[in-house]
Amino acid sequence: MIETNIARDRAEGDLLDVLAADHEDVTRHFSAFLGTPIGDPERKELMDTISALLVSHAAIEEALLYPHIRERAEDGAHSAVEGLDVHAHAEVLLRQIAPLDAHAPGFDRLVAVLDEHVSGHMHWEEARLFPMMRAALSQGELDRLGDEARAMRSGAPTAPQAHPGMEGLWTDDYRPPGVSAADRLRRGLTPAGGWDRMKPH
């Protein structure tokens, strides 16, 4: 992950500094979750915080990062589709986790899938999308977008949104039904980690 100072970069940085600081904050909260005993109610509190962080972060990215990736970066349209698809999948998981408490069957497994998925996606964004943005936009533009991100923060959504047609996509083993062997291989090798890596075939 990119080296960052969360408070400083959120307060003063350009758009990519702000987003990297969010990534670090999410990573720290996942680490705190993993360091809390299974069944402890604090795990639910941490997951609620992670959910709000991810939803608001995704809203900022979808308003300020992905439109510029799509319109101005080389091969940006494909990368934008890939990244936004990951966001939608993550929100499906967040909606599945939201009603569960720390003792609920499946709670820890769902969070583990989310952690794997989100961590891989954040690494992918920092390794691929952030350099694309720095190459495509001037520093002045990135600074302006950082200001816009800060202005958006207080009004950004914090509850995961429904994605019609995707809500029931995964069964209890968290694998898409009916996918081909080629699709399973492709998904398993995606930068976001892939859903199929979570269960042996």
Side-chain angles (χ1 to χ4, degrees):
M1 301 289 282
I2 294 174
E3 292 289 332
T4 188
N5 177 302
I6 294 174
R8 181 199 65 210
D9 290 346
R10 279 184 174 158
E12 303 174 6
D14 65 24
L15 175 63
L16 303 181
D17 294 328
V18 171
L19 297 179
D22 283 355
H23 289 178
E24 178 65 20
D25 201 11
V26 169
T27 298
R28 291 185 183 186
H29 278 83
F30 270 124
S31 294
F33 178 94
L34 293 173
T36 303
I38 291 175
D40 190 318
E42 187 179 352
R43 286 168 78 89
K44 174 61 174 176
E45 295 173 10
L46 285 164
M47 187 58 239
D48 288 345
T49 299
I50 290 168
S51 179
L53 286 169
L54 288 173
V55 172
S56 62
H57 173 76
I60 291 170
E61 286 193 334
E62 289 167 18
L64 303 178
L65 174 70
Y66 280 94
H68 288 90
I69 289 291
R70 180 187 295 111
E71 296 166 9
R72 299 180 60 178
E74 184 176 353
D75 192 32
H78 174 78
S79 295
V81 169
E82 183 175 351
L84 292 171
D85 182 63
V86 172
H87 283 196
H89 286 128
E91 287 208 80
V92 171
L93 271 174
L94 290 173
R95 282 172 58 83
Q96 291 174 342
I97 294 168
L100 304 179
D101 63 30
H103 294 281
F107 175 78
D108 293 303
R109 288 188 64 197
L110 281 168
V111 176
V113 175
L114 180 71
D115 185 7
E116 174 84 2
H117 191 59
V118 168
S119 296
H121 177 64
M122 294 189 303
H123 281 289
W124 174 76
E125 286 185 332
E126 293 183 9
R128 179 167 175 78
L129 300 194
F130 288 15
M132 291 169 69
M133 283 286 282
R134 290 215 181 271
L137 278 69
S138 69
Q139 186 59 51
E141 289 175 304
L142 291 171
D143 289 338
R144 176 181 57 78
L145 290 171
D147 291 337
E148 290 186 31
R150 280 182 281 277
M152 281 187 64
R153 180 77 64 185
S154 61
T158 56
Q161 305 301 303
H163 291 268
M166 295 180 64
E167 297 295 313
L169 190 58
W170 290 283
T171 56
D172 287 343
D173 65 0
Y174 312 117
R175 288 172 47 193
V179 296
S180 68
D183 282 341
R184 288 199 301 271
L185 178 62
R186 176 181 59 79
R187 288 170 185 250
L189 295 176
T190 58
W195 298 92
D196 297 305
R197 289 177 56 190
M198 298 307 298
K199 182 178 176 65
H201 302 305

